[in-house]
Amino acid sequence: MFMPRPLRMFAVLAVTLALAACGDDSAKKEAKASEPTTAQSEIIKYNQYVDTANSISTTFEQALERYEAYAVPALKEGKPLKDFVISNDSTIQRTKEKLDRALAMSTPIAEIDAPAKAFSDALGKLAPLSHELQNYAATKTFLSDNGALAREKSPAYVAALTEVVKAENGFYRGISIKDTANTKEAFEKAKKDTVAYYRAGMVYYGKATMDKASGVFEGKGLGADQEAFKQELDKMNEMALGFDKKTREADAKGCTGMMMNVNGFLASGRKILEHTNNGRYKEDAARTGAFKMMRPTIEDDANSLRQNFNNLISDLNIGRC
């Protein structure tokens, strides 16, 4: 299962990795060792990669879209520029340094290392162009040269940024593949009918549900994934009920904060199924005239599902229960 970064929180890495050690005495003994094991070294490296992904607040894809939407048309007009903006310049070097630190770690992570290297290399090629244009924009030199430098450098900048976007998406894909493997392993290794098992199951089936909701995030609807989405959501509900039961066996108060977020996620998913079945999304898509300007229900539903998922993952990472 793969969700592009804007649709997923890489914070799940902390959950999937931590879960593998829940209730595992051998893992606790290993943690006391002075030298990290291969597994621990992989966790450290993996966390570095995910920290890198999470540190990019505006993706390079978004930066390219903005530049092509605003700067490129203005440059083509050939008129004196009134404004010129470059996005993500400070992010380039910071991201490359983070990637290089992870790549320097000896433990290999096959799913991510090659994409991370390609991402770092692409950023290295973009950096000098971006920095030059950033200084040009910051000093408003475009007002004195009527945009001449921007027009000269723009094609090379767009080409380099496009390569970064391709590499960035490959990097996210690599993390997602590894993240899915970690989640599945943690779930399968956890002792059945325990808090750790149900917690791992919520992560696993929560991610699976989000994966089947990709059409909703794209504004198209569930389509052929409707039944699979429902099945993953039902499994998520099963894990949530087991988690609630086990936590209440240990403490009558249970874990109300966690369950509030789980229930919110489940409710958002069922709302999507309701609006799919009653034709609400199709009705919105068929709007005409002024009504077409209204925000479609599917957008609100997608945002609700995403936010509830992110809240759940954040709560799981904190590990209150």
Side-chain angles (χ1 to χ4, degrees):
M1 55 186 98
F2 167 65
M3 288 173 278
R5 183 187 179 278
L7 304 184
R8 72 193 300 276
M9 284 286 285
F10 281 127
V12 290
L13 69 136
V15 177
T16 57
L17 295 172
L19 285 173
C22 287
D24 185 347
D25 291 335
S26 62
K28 293 175 182 178
K29 291 176 182 176
E30 287 177 357
K32 295 178 181 178
S34 58
E35 292 295 327
T37 64
T38 300
Q40 289 167 338
S41 295
E42 182 179 295
I43 289 173
I44 293 169
K45 184 175 184 178
Y46 180 67
N47 279 339
Q48 176 67 32
Y49 277 138
V50 178
D51 177 64
T52 302
N54 281 335
S55 70
I56 304 173
S57 56
T58 299
T59 68
F60 289 95
E61 185 169 18
Q62 290 169 326
L64 177 60
E65 288 173 354
R66 291 177 186 176
Y67 188 83
E68 291 185 321
Y70 299 105
V72 171
L75 292 171
K76 284 182 177 179
E77 287 178 357
K79 299 177 182 178
L81 291 183
K82 294 182 179 180
D83 197 15
F84 183 72
V85 177
I86 292 294
S87 300
N88 280 21
D89 183 65
S90 61
T91 306
I92 294 172
Q93 191 58 38
R94 182 173 67 247
T95 302
K96 179 172 172 52
E97 289 173 355
K98 284 176 171 287
L99 288 168
D100 291 344
R101 279 200 296 273
L103 286 165
M105 298 177 186
S106 58
T107 303
I109 302 180
E111 299 89 341
I112 312 176
D113 287 342
K117 180 65 167 58
F119 192 14
S120 174
D121 290 346
L123 288 169
K125 293 175 183 177
L126 174 65
L129 273 169
S130 177
H131 190 59
E132 182 178 6
L133 288 176
Q134 173 61 27
N135 284 337
Y136 175 77
T139 57
K140 296 191 181 298
T141 305
F142 56 85
L143 295 176
S144 61
D145 77 347
N146 294 324
L149 181 67
R151 290 187 180 89
E152 176 191 345
K153 300 289 184 179
S154 187
Y157 173 76
V158 169
L161 184 53
T162 299
E163 289 305 308
V164 166
V165 169
K166 292 178 182 176
E168 177 186 35
N169 287 334
F171 175 62
Y172 295 151
R173 187 175 296 106
I175 291 180
S176 183
I177 291 169
K178 183 63 176 174
D179 185 58
T180 298
N182 285 341
T183 304
K184 187 173 186 291
E185 181 181 9
F187 180 48
E188 291 177 346
K189 283 186 174 180
K191 185 179 179 181
K192 300 292 189 292
D193 199 31
T194 63
V195 170
Y197 172 77
Y198 291 118
R199 186 188 286 116
M202 286 193 293
V203 176
Y204 183 72
Y205 288 112
K207 284 170 55 62
T209 300
M210 290 292 283
D211 179 55
K212 296 304 179 184
S214 59
V216 175
F217 294 122
E218 294 168 2
K220 301 174 183 177
L222 292 171
D225 284 330
Q226 181 175 346
E227 183 57 33
F229 176 84
K230 181 181 182 301
Q231 289 176 5
E232 301 295 1
L233 198 67
D234 287 344
K235 292 297 293 185
M236 176 69 170
N237 184 63
E238 182 183 323
M239 295 295 109
L241 291 174
F243 176 83
D244 189 42
K245 178 183 177 183
K246 284 298 174 183
T247 53
R248 289 185 183 281
E249 285 177 1
D251 184 338
K253 296 191 297 294
C255 194
T256 54
M258 179 83 73
M259 288 306 300
M260 180 177 68
N261 288 324
V262 176
N263 290 339
F265 178 74
L266 291 166
S268 295
R270 284 169 179 149
K271 204 70 177 175
I272 288 172
L273 288 169
E274 178 191 10
H275 289 155
T276 298
N277 290 325
N278 67 15
R280 180 63 179 272
Y281 297 151
K282 290 183 179 179
E283 289 176 9
D284 286 359
R287 288 173 180 166
T288 58
F291 292 104
K292 199 170 183 64
M293 301 300 293
M294 296 172 61
R295 187 164 64 183
T297 305
I298 196 169
E299 186 175 326
D300 289 333
D301 288 354
N303 289 337
S304 177
L305 186 71
R306 182 189 294 112
Q307 187 59 60
N308 279 299
F309 177 72
N310 292 345
N311 290 344
L312 171 60
I313 294 304
S314 295
D315 217 12
L316 284 164
N317 276 339
I318 293 171
R320 293 195 181 102
C321 303

